[in-house]
Amino acid sequence: MDRSTLLALRSRLASDNEEFNGSHIGLYNTSQRIKLTYGSDYGLIVRSKRGYGTAVYLDIPCG
């Protein structure tokens, strides 16, 4: 995905606004559940390089 789309997605995932307009709702719900369970320091990390692909990482505490 291009940089502006990636930044918009990251911003949406970081927000507490539940109005997500149906786009990426699964990512948003997963991120919010992780934050509710483990705290606001945790959640999803999305990295993308146009033409190569996109990766989504789960950031959760170990142990």
Side-chain angles (χ1 to χ4, degrees):
M1 70 180 76
D2 62 38
R3 183 138 180 90
S4 63
T5 303
L6 178 60
L7 293 176
L9 176 59
R10 286 178 178 169
S11 176
R12 286 174 151 183
L13 290 177
S15 78
D16 289 334
N17 185 0
E18 291 184 23
E19 222 174 282
F20 217 69
N21 299 329
S23 178
H24 308 291
I25 192 71
L27 290 176
Y28 177 78
N29 284 343
T30 302
S31 183
Q32 290 304 311
R33 285 176 181 259
I34 291 170
K35 288 178 184 196
L36 287 171
T37 303
Y38 299 110
S40 61
D41 290 338
Y42 301 98
L44 297 180
I45 299 168
V46 181
R47 294 190 177 142
S48 184
K49 187 168 186 180
R50 191 173 186 159
Y52 289 95
T54 300
V56 179
Y57 300 90
L58 296 173
D59 184 19
I60 57 176
C62 181

